[in-house]
Amino acid sequence: MSSKLLSRVRSLLERQERIGVDDCQELFQVKDLAAIATLARIPRERRHGRNAHYRAIVPLTVATVDDLAQAGGQLEPESGAVGIAVRPDGQAAATLGALMELQSAMRLLPLPATLFISAGIIARAAEATGSSIPEAVQALAGGGGVFINGDEAELSDATFRTAHTAAAIPFPQWLAVHRAAHAAGLKTGASMLYTVHDRPAEYAAHLQAIRQLQDETNGFVQFVPMGVQNRDVAEWYLVAPTAAQSLRVVAVARMFLDSIPHIAVAPSLITSEESFVALSYGANMVDSTIAVGDVCSDEGLGVAAAEGASLPVIAASTARQRGGILPRTIHSRIVESRHIPVPMDAAFGEISSLTILAQQ
Amino acid sequence: MPTLAPSRKKLRVVAADFLNSLPLTVEMAEDELFNFEYVIPSEGARRMMEQEADIALLPVAAVAEIGGLEVVPGPCIGANGRVESVVIVSQVPLDKVQRLLIDNASRTSVVLAKIFMDSVGKGDIPFIRMPGQAIPANVKGTDAGLLIADIAFRESKQFKYRHDLADAWKRLTGEPFVFAVWAAQPGVLTPELVERINRRFWDGIARKHQIIEEWAAKHGMPKAEVADYLDERIQFNLNKSAWYGMQEFFRLGSNMRLLPDARVEFATPQEPQNGINTFGKFVPEVVPYSRSYGVDRILARADAGRRISIHDAERLYLEADLTDIGEVANNIRNRMNPGGRVSYIIARNINYTNVCNVDCGFCGFYRSDDPKRKGHNEGYVLTRQQLREKMDELADGDGVQALVQGGVNPNLPLEYYTDLLRWMKREWPQIQQNSFSADEVLGLCPNTTPQEISAVLHALRDAGLDTFAGAGAEILVDKVRKRVSYKKSRSAVWLEVMRQVGIMGMKASVTMLYGMGETTRDKFAHMAKIRQLQDEVSPFMVFITWPYQKGPEQKIKSFDQAGATYLRVQGISRIFFDNIQHIMCSWVTQGPDIGQTALYYGADDFGSVMFEENVVSASGTTYKMNANSMEHCIREAGFIPFRRKGDFSEWDLVEHQMLQNTRVL
Ligand code: SF4
């Protein structure tokens, strides 16, 4: 089955034709990762050659406008960052007004800042303010400097969402926010949650929903797969997809999502070293702006326990995973992985490597 | 005037001072353009391999092994028929011969002998290594011997059956056999330099009479015999048919998996008309596959089972796609270890002492016993009670192997080690001992002679050492070793310990610690030395590599830290080591994610679950996995996990319990 599937997919990719949902589902079950990687490189190299992108942006999570001013003052100019990703939390994310206030305050920061928010934040803020989703999106788009990331896409499957990601907005609402954003001229990101137990059917259906919206709007600029894992405890025990699973998801996403420009990996989610390896498995972007501990561990533990798995217990030094990666480290790791580093600003515009390196 | 390398005044030229090389070298040695030195052939090959020489009169096997070299057209050392200096002798006809005794000093002759034996239907007989001088006395019964150089001249006539290998080659291929050529590092040769080397050669030929006189006087040989050898036996001209002969040697050597792929190509498409140099001589050039083709060709040839050269490995490291390396490494891994199985072991490190007088600059584990040195009061030697606790913990976890390793503690005599091994074997008979590094052994050998090393290893084995851990290889290139660990054994001494391990039939693991600022060439020169020793005496059952990780206490800076680089190096090692069966991944240093990915890069072994580790963790690396998480990782990668013993055979619970019950109380 596998070799027929692989040769069928290869010929589709070489002819620049689409892979069907059934093939996508089957690809998620192929254990031969080398074969999957070889296929994923066809669209990856066609689109990006050997380029590997990264955004040298400092993430700032803020609960109030005051937090923003305070945190902005502590930024180290020698970090090599070319921008700031402002991630609102709590009060700062509660209403449309709070978000717009944050947008205004961002202009005072020492580096160009972008409001990084999820569809869920927008939907909840709109509801709290009594606005419709298109109105909320329009208002934020008018304020400038906003990027709607893929958070809360989770998995489109309703059963999964009810069981494991109940706090997230419903998937149709997630799609609605992104649709509205694309209509307002915003580029946004998409994501998918994957778990320690493979869910090929759910993954394929989720990717299909994203591809369909992209066909409709062409507004997604990036896709980031997110493994469910726990890293936010002092001596963390990880229940997470393995590297093989992560690389497979990256590769299949690259093959299936033919109309989304960037397939990104987040070092904080699949370990920093593995993320540079993923550049050879279909990813073209190492996106370091996603903060450590974004995806809550309890889900993963819940999934594994619910399915009666014997939990793999893996402990690792936190030193390599935490504390973010400096742009110069990203740059040199990309070079070491035999790719060409291409830094970007928050709006996915390419900037010169010299801009980054000169600041360090 | 010839162009000189810009950074040096003189080109470094090396050659052996054999009789047959003197016409090529006698004038070169006197040319002020060159910094010329006579060295033994293996040292010449080493210097070219480690880029410490620019030009060498190099045996052709070394030309293929190193790869990427440029060959000077014109002169060579060859033979167009009988040569009398490379002879297989026996007291029985060839069809009765059961073993061939060889001296590994001449790799070219050994490969030629293998080709010859294969051509007479004796390709599968074992080749037994011994010192050249000892071979004549041991050629008896059904044992044949390969005699080389003056031993061949002196001794071959006493044997009933003699097979001159150059003559056999001529009959086999119709071409002359080329033993050695002038080879240069890429970019060194210019037309002027080639012309100069050729002039020196013809000037040397003009001094042949003088060479004969002096050699005969110095070695007490009849002049006529010396003259006959140089005039009648040796062909000095690298003519067209000699080039074809060399090409055929590369082809057969590569087909038989004895040499890396290399081949002769001609400088121009229409030969020989356009291949005429200023001396009216035929001008071909050797182009290794790796230079005339892309890295995809190197990978395809490797995938088809061909050996790769050092230069090929360098090109893969610098140019190949990571996943392309992985694919070929995985294919080779599946051929060498079929069934899609990945082994792991339950073992533990026991660092019995951290006292060490070697002072490696990359080591954060050791403490000096010098009272003037910082931290000397933190030195320890574990007590029997502490050792017992660790061994009991290992036994309780169904452990099968102890890796007893420590510093080179000058206060511990050989009896300490033999007593320790005997005690452990007595108390925990089910636990195998895979212990000690080459430097711990050398710490017990004040004179570092092969005999002394062998005696210590025998004492350790008699006391219960099952396999030799063999750590401490680091990078087997002395300029690197001197920089990172001045007092550590030099590479030849380290290899001698492993040679003795192989000779006594014990098995060992072999490692590479990279990322200490060594060059790409250094990495693969390291691998080449290991592969060569494995060809000789097969001491190694597994290769493991990992990058040096700088901790707070180490002085040496770290490089090449990316996980992608680790996968690249490990994948190339699987491709390079066609003669080492197992590759172990280093999840201990790389973490479970890269460790699992390494299974797609040639690793068929996941190493050990970790009870305790003090050496890499001294650099801040503290990953831990248990058997469940390992099996999960292996399964998720699509492989079948199995638990193994120290010798890589499958662990068996019943056998384990039986052994446990043999404990002497
Ligand atoms: S690496 Fe080994 S030999 Fe070197 S200082 Fe450390 S303990 Fe001693």
Side-chain angles (χ1 to χ4, degrees):
Chain A
M1 171 204 97
S2 183
S3 64
K4 267 192 195 161
L5 168 74
L6 295 173
S7 60
R8 182 168 66 242
V9 170
R10 170 179 282 282
S11 83
L12 287 170
L13 294 170
E14 282 173 346
R15 295 200 308 268
Q16 298 193 48
E17 287 176 22
R18 282 211 146 158
I19 299 169
V21 179
D22 292 345
D23 282 349
C24 178
Q25 186 176 328
E26 278 189 49
L27 284 169
F28 277 118
Q29 296 165 70
V30 174
K31 291 284 187 188
D32 182 353
L33 198 57
I36 295 277
T38 307
L39 294 180
R41 272 174 40 198
I42 297 171
R44 191 248 187 259
E45 285 175 12
R46 186 183 295 131
R47 231 177 217 285
H48 300 289
R50 302 207 60 76
N51 284 356
H53 302 84
Y54 66 97
R55 289 193 291 177
I57 307 166
V58 183
L60 280 185
T61 302
V62 293
T64 65
V65 174
D66 289 347
D67 281 359
L68 184 67
Q70 206 179 352
Q74 290 165 3
L75 280 178
E76 292 170 16
E78 69 276 15
S79 67
V82 296
I84 301 167
V86 177
R87 302 175 62 96
D89 196 14
Q91 213 189 318
T95 63
L96 202 49
L99 289 170
M100 291 172 74
E101 201 185 333
L102 214 49
Q103 274 180 301
S104 312
M106 280 171 8
R107 298 195 186 100
L108 302 174
L109 290 174
L111 287 171
T114 305
L115 187 65
F116 267 52
I117 46 177
S118 67
I121 289 178
I122 296 177
R124 285 186 289 273
E127 197 184 338
T129 317
S131 310
S132 70
I133 284 174
E135 283 166 356
V137 169
Q138 277 292 352
L140 290 168
V146 62
F147 178 72
I148 305 173
N149 60 30
D151 289 3
E152 296 195 39
E154 321 298 15
L155 265 179
S156 62
D157 183 79
T159 317
F160 178 89
R161 289 179 93 85
T162 310
H164 304 294
T165 63
I169 56 172
F171 191 68
Q173 202 177 10
W174 186 91
L175 288 173
V177 173
H178 285 270
R179 186 178 284 111
H182 299 165
L186 295 176
K187 293 290 181 193
T188 72
S191 72
M192 179 183 91
L193 218 60
Y194 60 99
T195 64
V196 70
H197 295 287
D198 291 328
R199 301 162 182 276
E202 287 94 327
Y203 298 164
H206 182 90
L207 293 185
Q208 169 72 344
I210 287 172
R211 191 168 74 173
Q212 274 171 351
L213 182 58
Q214 181 72 343
D215 289 345
E216 197 184 312
T217 62
N218 197 29
F220 288 123
V221 69
Q222 178 197 50
F223 173 82
V224 192
M226 294 182 170
V228 174
Q229 51 200 282
N230 172 15
R231 305 209 148 166
D232 207 19
V233 288
E235 190 178 335
W236 52 270
Y237 287 89
L238 167 67
V239 177
T242 64
Q245 289 170 301
S246 298
L247 294 174
R248 192 179 299 111
V249 171
V250 166
V252 177
R254 179 63 289 169
M255 287 185 258
F256 189 79
L257 298 176
D258 53 352
S259 48
I260 296 186
H262 299 290
I263 302 294
V265 285
S268 53
L269 294 180
I270 65 167
T271 81
S272 60
E273 291 308 331
E274 200 66 33
S275 61
F276 296 99
V277 173
L279 294 174
S280 299
Y281 287 78
N284 68 289
M285 185 168 194
V286 176
D287 209 347
S288 62
T289 55
I290 296 167
V292 170
D294 266 0
V295 182
C296 177
S297 56
D298 298 342
E299 297 159 8
L301 288 163
V303 173
E307 298 187 9
S310 69
L311 301 182
V313 178
I314 303 169
S317 142
T318 52
R320 283 175 89 185
Q321 321 299 338
R322 291 182 166 210
I325 315 178
L326 286 173
R328 69 162 169 270
T329 310
I330 297 181
H331 193 97
S332 67
R333 286 290 199 274
I334 289 173
V335 171
E336 225 180 301
S337 75
R338 309 294 187 270
H339 289 87
I340 302 160
V342 181
M344 291 176 133
D345 58 24
F348 292 84
E350 291 187 9
I351 54 176
S352 162
S353 289
L354 293 175
T355 314
I356 302 287
L357 299 176
Q359 288 183 44
Q360 294 175 62
Chain B
M1 274 297 288
T3 313
L4 293 175
S7 56
R8 280 185 301 276
K9 279 219 173 73
K10 292 188 174 189
L11 290 168
R12 301 159 301 176
V13 180
V14 291
D17 64 345
F18 293 156
L19 172 59
N20 58 19
S21 62
L22 286 175
L24 283 79
T25 59
V26 70
E27 285 281 324
M28 292 281 284
E30 293 167 10
D31 190 327
E32 89 284 349
L33 185 67
F34 306 119
N35 190 346
F36 186 95
E37 208 180 325
Y38 281 117
V39 295
I40 58 169
S42 59
E43 173 63 6
R46 183 198 71 73
R47 291 203 196 173
M48 286 300 277
M49 180 164 78
E50 296 177 17
Q51 296 171 323
E52 288 178 14
D54 301 301
I55 301 172
L57 187 56
L58 210 56
V60 289
V63 173
E65 189 74 31
I66 296 169
L69 300 176
E70 292 173 0
V71 168
V72 176
C76 75
I77 301 170
N80 192 15
R82 206 156 54 84
V83 71
E84 292 181 359
S85 55
V86 185
V87 186
I88 287 179
V89 295
S90 61
Q91 301 292 21
V92 293
L94 269 183
D95 61 337
K96 301 270 183 328
V97 167
Q98 299 291 327
R99 305 193 308 170
L100 181 67
L101 312 180
I102 56 159
D103 172 1
N104 264 318
S106 169
R107 176 126 181 98
T108 301
S109 303
V110 170
V111 174
L112 179 58
K114 289 215 180 201
I115 292 171
F116 169 69
M117 294 307 272
D118 193 57
S119 74
V120 295
K122 285 280 170 183
D124 51 359
I125 64 163
F127 279 35
I128 309 299
R129 182 192 174 274
M130 62 174 59
Q133 303 89 318
I135 292 176
N138 283 285
V139 174
K140 26 183 133 122
T142 55
D143 281 354
L146 171 63
L147 306 186
I148 300 168
D150 52 333
I151 299 172
F153 284 128
R154 261 197 335 262
E155 310 279 355
S156 61
K157 292 195 181 65
Q158 60 172 293
F159 296 97
K160 200 165 168 201
Y161 295 91
R162 294 184 296 277
H163 299 274
D164 185 301
L165 291 190
D167 189 41
W169 175 263
K170 175 78 181 176
R171 278 188 275 115
L172 185 69
T173 65
E175 308 292 359
F177 187 80
V178 175
F179 290 100
V181 290
W182 281 117
Q185 302 289 358
V188 166
L189 291 181
T190 60
E192 295 85 357
L193 191 54
V194 169
E195 190 177 322
R196 186 151 180 150
I197 294 170
N198 273 273
R199 274 195 203 292
R200 294 289 161 258
F201 160 60
W202 289 111
D203 292 346
I205 290 286
R207 287 171 63 182
K208 205 154 55 166
H209 189 67
Q210 181 200 342
I211 293 168
I212 291 166
E213 296 247 319
E214 286 176 6
W215 187 273
K218 189 171 167 194
H219 295 271
M221 284 173 75
K223 249 193 280 180
E225 207 173 286
V226 179
D228 177 67
Y229 181 64
L230 284 190
D231 289 338
E232 305 298 329
R233 304 290 151 234
I234 297 298
Q235 170 171 333
F236 290 106
N237 189 358
L238 195 51
N239 60 16
K240 183 179 175 185
S241 89
W243 276 97
Y244 283 137
M246 185 157 74
Q247 180 172 357
E248 193 58 8
F249 178 68
F250 287 155
R251 191 183 69 79
L252 291 174
S254 169
N255 282 352
M256 292 175 68
R257 319 285 194 253
L258 302 170
L259 290 176
D261 258 356
R263 63 182 220 162
V264 183
E265 281 191 351
F266 297 101
T268 58
Q270 303 135 325
E271 26 83 22
Q273 295 92 322
N274 293 344
I276 303 290
N277 73 6
T278 50
F279 298 93
K281 299 279 173 275
F282 187 69
V283 190
E285 74 174 317
V286 166
V287 181
Y289 263 106
S290 58
R291 208 178 75 195
S292 53
Y293 296 100
V295 286
D296 51 344
R297 183 71 176 251
I298 301 172
L299 285 168
R301 304 282 295 177
D303 207 3
R306 299 308 173 109
R307 187 166 261 210
I308 65 168
S309 69
I310 296 172
H311 182 67
D312 293 337
E314 278 181 307
R315 288 202 56 200
L316 293 181
Y317 182 80
L318 296 170
E319 298 171 40
D321 270 319
L322 183 63
T323 49
D324 287 345
I325 292 171
E327 194 176 346
V328 173
N330 196 39
N331 292 344
I332 294 171
R333 170 251 191 270
N334 285 334
R335 277 205 301 273
M336 293 181 80
N337 299 285
R341 284 153 52 96
V342 172
S343 52
Y344 71 94
I345 189 165
I346 298 192
R348 86 170 293 165
N349 281 12
I350 296 181
N351 302 118
Y352 63 98
T353 179
N354 67 346
V355 175
C356 185
N357 61 4
V358 179
D359 294 330
C360 299
F362 55 82
C363 179
F365 162 72
Y366 83 100
R367 293 293 178 266
S368 171
D369 72 332
D370 179 349
K372 291 191 236 64
R373 298 280 300 275
K374 185 174 155 243
H376 81 92
N377 52 354
E378 293 163 18
Y380 69 78
V381 178
L382 294 184
T383 62
R384 280 282 161 100
Q385 184 50 36
Q386 288 169 313
L387 290 166
R388 176 178 292 284
E389 281 163 19
K390 288 176 191 294
M391 287 296 282
D392 279 344
E393 201 185 354
L394 176 61
D396 291 346
D398 280 340
V400 295
Q401 189 185 61
L403 206 152
V404 178
Q405 250 181 335
V408 181
N409 187 332
N411 309 314
L412 302 177
L414 177 60
E415 293 67 44
Y416 169 85
Y417 296 92
T418 49
D419 287 352
L420 181 70
L421 286 167
R422 280 201 190 90
W423 172 69
M424 286 182 166
K425 270 287 169 202
R426 202 170 51 237
E427 294 281 318
W428 298 276
Q430 77 280 24
I431 293 175
Q432 294 175 315
Q433 287 293 330
N434 173 48
S435 300
F436 309 124
S437 67
D439 278 271
E440 282 165 278
V441 167
L442 290 166
L444 301 166
C445 302
N447 302 312
T448 63
T449 60
Q451 295 75 6
E452 198 180 28
I453 294 167
S454 175
V456 168
L457 286 168
H458 274 95
L460 295 173
R461 183 169 71 179
D462 293 348
L465 184 64
D466 295 291
T467 49
F468 190 55
E474 327 307 2
I475 293 284
L476 291 166
V477 170
D478 285 344
K479 64 178 183 291
V480 179
R481 293 177 88 77
K482 282 181 195 160
R483 182 170 56 77
V484 302
S485 177
Y486 192 80
K487 292 195 234 161
K488 204 160 205 163
S489 56
R490 295 293 174 255
S491 53
V493 178
W494 189 94
L495 287 163
E496 187 56 43
V497 175
M498 288 307 185
R499 183 172 286 112
Q500 295 306 323
V501 168
I503 289 170
M504 66 195 274
M506 196 155 57
K507 290 294 172 196
S509 39
V510 60
T511 59
M512 177 167 95
L513 179 70
Y514 66 91
M516 296 182 289
E518 73 288 337
T519 62
T520 304
R521 170 56 63 103
D522 294 336
K523 289 182 180 76
F524 299 110
H526 172 93
M527 288 193 194
K529 289 180 186 185
I530 291 168
R531 184 169 72 180
Q532 201 169 333
L533 186 66
Q534 183 75 348
D535 280 346
E536 271 183 44
V537 289
S538 302
F540 306 122
M541 53 186 173
V542 59
F543 174 79
I544 316 126
T545 185
W546 66 91
Y548 158 63
Q549 293 167 329
K550 186 174 167 13
E553 295 197 21
Q554 286 102 317
K555 294 168 250 170
I556 306 293
K557 268 179 81 173
S558 55
F559 302 84
D560 304 331
Q561 295 292 293
T565 302
Y566 168 77
L567 297 174
R568 184 173 288 271
V569 173
Q570 191 205 269
I572 297 172
S573 78
R574 176 65 292 170
I575 296 169
F576 195 88
F577 289 125
D578 53 358
N579 55 3
I580 297 182
Q581 195 178 351
H582 302 289
I583 301 287
M584 182 193 291
C585 74
S586 179
W587 69 264
V588 178
T589 62
Q590 298 300 296
D593 292 297
I594 295 286
Q596 185 197 39
T597 312
L599 299 179
Y600 301 107
Y601 289 79
D604 62 288
D605 186 74
F606 214 74
S608 172
V609 300
M610 197 50 71
F611 283 78
E612 170 197 38
E613 198 288 325
N614 297 308
V615 179
V616 294
S617 57
S619 304
T621 304
T622 53
Y623 296 106
K624 285 205 169 69
M625 287 180 94
N626 60 22
N628 280 348
S629 53
M630 269 193 181
E631 292 206 359
H632 173 76
C633 255
I634 295 168
R635 267 200 203 92
E636 265 306 327
F639 298 96
I640 304 156
F642 76 97
R643 199 185 283 191
R644 70 164 169 91
K645 296 188 291 190
D647 60 2
F648 283 80
S649 60
E650 191 157 355
W651 178 76
D652 180 86
L653 178 62
V654 176
E655 183 198 19
H656 184 77
Q657 285 169 343
M658 278 165 59
L659 276 170
Q660 206 165 357
N661 293 337
T662 61
R663 182 176 170 200
V664 183
L665 295 170

